[in-house]
Amino acid sequence: MEKGIIKNVSIEDFKTNENFVNYVDDDFMVINSLENVPYSNGTVRLNCFLLISCLEGSIQLDMNDKTYQLQKDDLIFGLPSVIISHTMLSPQHKISIIGFSTQFLQRVFKMGKNEWNTATYLRNNPIKHVEGNKYIIFRYYEDLIMTKINSEPHPYHRESMKYIFSSILCEIIAPEKFLKMKQRIKTKRNSMSTYFAVSLKSYRKTMECTAR
């Protein structure tokens, strides 16, 4: 790719390069290696949503001109319209990338005020460390996805994959949405506490002046 050129990348682009992906359909894709994947060394603008997990080693990349480094069990949210560049991988690394189409996101999440707030929070805080029960659940989902990918397709294979991907997306996004709401409530409470403290101090001064 020529220097300075930004390539728009969607799920559709991976459908034309099925040899480099573990799974891809109209709405989802799974990649467990960036080796030989087109655009992996260039600058891309996402027309999809990516969950990039560092399973071993380390990963460094620029997202909207800000550098992020992922260590083992970190994941980073790549929201639609985000620009990713300068991707570097440690020699002994293991990576997992799960992609969702923007059309699928629109079907799963109705973009109200809370959803926009969550998206803003994820854009400003894209890295999440997966540990404890969340780590176990996330790995179960990854194992389930790979098992389904390698199993013999059946008439409802597409539908079952859709529900698995929907579940993992909600499992990851929901806690971030809840965290954002908790932070907003805490900020509001702190503001109210400050307001009452200032008001009480002002009231006491008024009473002291009156008593004199």
Side-chain angles (χ1 to χ4, degrees):
M1 186 182 299
E2 295 182 23
K3 186 176 181 180
I5 300 296
I6 299 176
K7 167 67 178 177
N8 292 310
V9 173
S10 66
I11 298 296
E12 203 64 31
D13 291 289
F14 293 98
K15 289 181 68 177
T16 61
N17 296 281
E18 293 188 22
N19 293 332
F20 307 123
V21 299
N22 296 83
Y23 177 83
V24 63
D25 60 27
D26 292 338
D27 288 320
F28 318 109
M29 67 94 177
V30 177
I31 298 176
N32 289 332
S33 172
L34 288 181
E35 187 176 358
N36 298 322
V37 174
Y39 326 125
S40 61
N41 294 322
T43 300
V44 300
R45 179 184 286 108
L46 299 181
N47 287 337
C48 55
F49 175 53
L50 297 184
L51 291 176
I52 304 173
S53 301
C54 179
L55 306 179
E56 293 180 12
S58 62
I59 304 168
Q60 181 174 301
L61 54 82
D62 287 358
M63 188 176 287
N64 287 347
D65 294 325
K66 186 175 180 179
T67 301
Y68 295 95
Q69 187 162 10
L70 284 73
Q71 302 296 333
K72 184 178 183 298
D73 300 330
D74 287 341
L75 67 83
I76 191 166
F77 300 95
L79 273 66
S81 80
V82 158
I83 295 176
I84 296 178
S85 60
H86 303 108
T87 301
M88 294 188 292
L89 308 169
S90 66
Q92 302 298 324
H93 75 276
K94 189 175 179 182
I95 191 173
S96 172
I97 302 176
I98 302 176
F100 306 83
S101 71
T102 54
Q103 293 83 359
F104 177 75
L105 292 178
Q106 291 167 1
R107 291 197 298 269
V108 173
F109 298 108
K110 305 301 180 184
M111 293 305 291
K113 182 178 179 180
N114 287 335
E115 284 69 27
W116 282 115
N117 288 337
T118 302
T120 301
Y121 176 80
L122 293 178
R123 189 177 294 273
N124 295 330
N125 304 273
I127 289 186
K128 177 181 177 66
H129 184 69
V130 183
E131 59 185 355
N133 289 335
K134 188 60 64 178
Y135 172 86
I136 296 173
I137 292 172
F138 195 58
R139 294 295 166 255
Y140 275 150
Y141 273 117
E142 287 190 330
D143 290 343
L144 178 58
I145 287 174
M146 294 309 300
T147 300
K148 290 293 295 180
I149 288 173
N150 296 320
S151 64
E152 190 71 24
H154 54 75
Y156 297 101
H157 183 80
R158 173 74 178 88
E159 285 72 14
S160 64
M161 292 295 287
K162 179 181 69 175
Y163 288 117
I164 294 172
F165 280 104
S166 298
S167 296
I168 193 171
L169 180 62
C170 292
E171 196 72 44
I172 292 295
I173 295 297
E176 303 305 316
K177 180 177 178 179
F178 179 66
L179 177 61
K180 171 62 181 169
M181 292 174 66
K182 283 206 307 184
Q183 288 184 340
R184 194 171 59 209
I185 292 171
K186 182 178 179 181
T187 301
K188 185 179 292 186
R189 285 176 176 170
N190 289 340
S191 298
M192 290 179 67
S193 298
T194 302
Y195 171 78
F196 283 122
V198 171
S199 299
L200 181 59
K201 186 177 181 180
S202 177
Y203 173 76
R204 285 174 175 170
K205 284 185 177 180
T206 302
M207 293 301 292
E208 289 174 359
C209 291
T210 302
R212 290 173 188 170

